[in-house]
mmCIF file of all heavy atoms in Angstrom:
data_model
loop_
_atom_site.group_PDB
_atom_site.id
_atom_site.type_symbol
_atom_site.label_atom_id
_atom_site.label_comp_id
_atom_site.label_asym_id
_atom_site.label_seq_id
_atom_site.Cartn_x
_atom_site.Cartn_y
_atom_site.Cartn_z
ATOM 1 N N GLY A 293 6.946 14.042 -27.664
ATOM 2 C CA GLY A 293 6.586 12.909 -26.777
ATOM 3 C C GLY A 293 5.931 13.409 -25.539
ATOM 4 O O GLY A 293 4.936 12.847 -25.062
ATOM 5 N N VAL A 294 6.480 14.483 -24.958
ATOM 6 C CA VAL A 294 5.879 15.075 -23.742
ATOM 7 C C VAL A 294 4.427 15.499 -24.023
ATOM 8 O O VAL A 294 3.521 15.232 -23.258
ATOM 9 C CB VAL A 294 6.716 16.278 -23.239
ATOM 10 C CG1 VAL A 294 5.968 17.018 -22.119
ATOM 11 C CG2 VAL A 294 8.092 15.838 -22.746
ATOM 12 N N GLY A 295 4.267 16.183 -25.152
ATOM 13 C CA GLY A 295 2.961 16.736 -25.463
ATOM 14 C C GLY A 295 1.916 15.696 -25.799
ATOM 15 O O GLY A 295 0.798 15.684 -25.212
ATOM 16 N N ILE A 296 2.221 14.771 -26.712
ATOM 17 C CA ILE A 296 1.197 13.815 -27.171
ATOM 18 C C ILE A 296 0.836 12.812 -26.069
ATOM 19 O O ILE A 296 -0.339 12.518 -25.845
ATOM 20 C CB ILE A 296 1.598 13.105 -28.481
ATOM 21 C CG1 ILE A 296 0.453 12.205 -28.954
ATOM 22 C CG2 ILE A 296 2.867 12.287 -28.313
ATOM 23 C CD1 ILE A 296 0.713 11.565 -30.309
ATOM 24 N N TYR A 297 1.844 12.279 -25.383
ATOM 25 C CA TYR A 297 1.557 11.282 -24.364
ATOM 26 C C TYR A 297 0.822 11.899 -23.161
ATOM 27 O O TYR A 297 -0.024 11.257 -22.535
ATOM 28 C CB TYR A 297 2.827 10.548 -23.899
ATOM 29 C CG TYR A 297 3.291 9.507 -24.900
ATOM 30 C CD1 TYR A 297 4.333 9.768 -25.816
ATOM 31 C CD2 TYR A 297 2.680 8.275 -24.966
ATOM 32 C CE1 TYR A 297 4.745 8.839 -26.704
ATOM 33 C CE2 TYR A 297 3.098 7.314 -25.876
ATOM 34 C CZ TYR A 297 4.115 7.593 -26.750
ATOM 35 O OH TYR A 297 4.532 6.652 -27.677
ATOM 36 N N SER A 298 1.198 13.153 -22.811
ATOM 37 C CA SER A 298 0.479 13.815 -21.730
ATOM 38 C C SER A 298 -0.982 14.033 -22.098
ATOM 39 O O SER A 298 -1.878 13.770 -21.276
ATOM 40 C CB SER A 298 1.128 15.179 -21.420
ATOM 41 O OG SER A 298 2.456 15.010 -21.038
ATOM 42 N N THR A 299 -1.230 14.508 -23.281
ATOM 43 C CA THR A 299 -2.627 14.790 -23.727
ATOM 44 C C THR A 299 -3.412 13.494 -23.802
ATOM 45 O O THR A 299 -4.566 13.438 -23.347
ATOM 46 C CB THR A 299 -2.621 15.482 -25.060
ATOM 47 O OG1 THR A 299 -1.721 16.593 -25.052
ATOM 48 C CG2 THR A 299 -4.010 16.013 -25.415
ATOM 49 N N VAL A 300 -2.821 12.444 -24.386
ATOM 50 C CA VAL A 300 -3.487 11.147 -24.516
ATOM 51 C C VAL A 300 -3.825 10.565 -23.162
ATOM 52 O O VAL A 300 -4.849 9.902 -22.992
ATOM 53 C CB VAL A 300 -2.600 10.182 -25.322
ATOM 54 C CG1 VAL A 300 -3.103 8.747 -25.178
ATOM 55 C CG2 VAL A 300 -2.595 10.572 -26.814
ATOM 56 N N THR A 301 -2.988 10.851 -22.153
ATOM 57 C CA THR A 301 -3.234 10.352 -20.789
ATOM 58 C C THR A 301 -4.232 11.198 -20.034
ATOM 59 O O THR A 301 -5.151 10.699 -19.370
ATOM 60 C CB THR A 301 -1.902 10.302 -19.998
ATOM 61 O OG1 THR A 301 -0.970 9.492 -20.727
ATOM 62 C CG2 THR A 301 -2.118 9.693 -18.613
ATOM 63 N N VAL A 302 -4.082 12.528 -20.111
ATOM 64 C CA VAL A 302 -4.864 13.448 -19.274
ATOM 65 C C VAL A 302 -6.310 13.549 -19.718
ATOM 66 O O VAL A 302 -7.229 13.609 -18.894
ATOM 67 C CB VAL A 302 -4.178 14.821 -19.256
ATOM 68 C CG1 VAL A 302 -5.113 15.899 -18.672
ATOM 69 C CG2 VAL A 302 -2.889 14.774 -18.487
ATOM 70 N N LEU A 303 -6.564 13.604 -21.001
ATOM 71 C CA LEU A 303 -7.952 13.837 -21.486
ATOM 72 C C LEU A 303 -8.909 12.707 -21.096
ATOM 73 O O LEU A 303 -10.005 12.973 -20.577
ATOM 74 C CB LEU A 303 -7.921 14.069 -23.014
ATOM 75 C CG LEU A 303 -9.130 14.812 -23.572
ATOM 76 C CD1 LEU A 303 -9.320 16.134 -22.871
ATOM 77 C CD2 LEU A 303 -8.956 15.020 -25.081
ATOM 78 N N PRO A 304 -8.550 11.419 -21.317
ATOM 79 C CA PRO A 304 -9.442 10.342 -20.824
ATOM 80 C C PRO A 304 -9.588 10.368 -19.295
ATOM 81 O O PRO A 304 -10.697 10.045 -18.806
ATOM 82 C CB PRO A 304 -8.717 9.067 -21.278
ATOM 83 C CG PRO A 304 -7.858 9.468 -22.405
ATOM 84 C CD PRO A 304 -7.410 10.844 -22.075
#
Side-chain angles (χ1 to χ4, degrees):
V294 172
I296 184 174
Y297 282 100
S298 299
T299 310
V300 165
T301 304
V302 167
L303 203 54

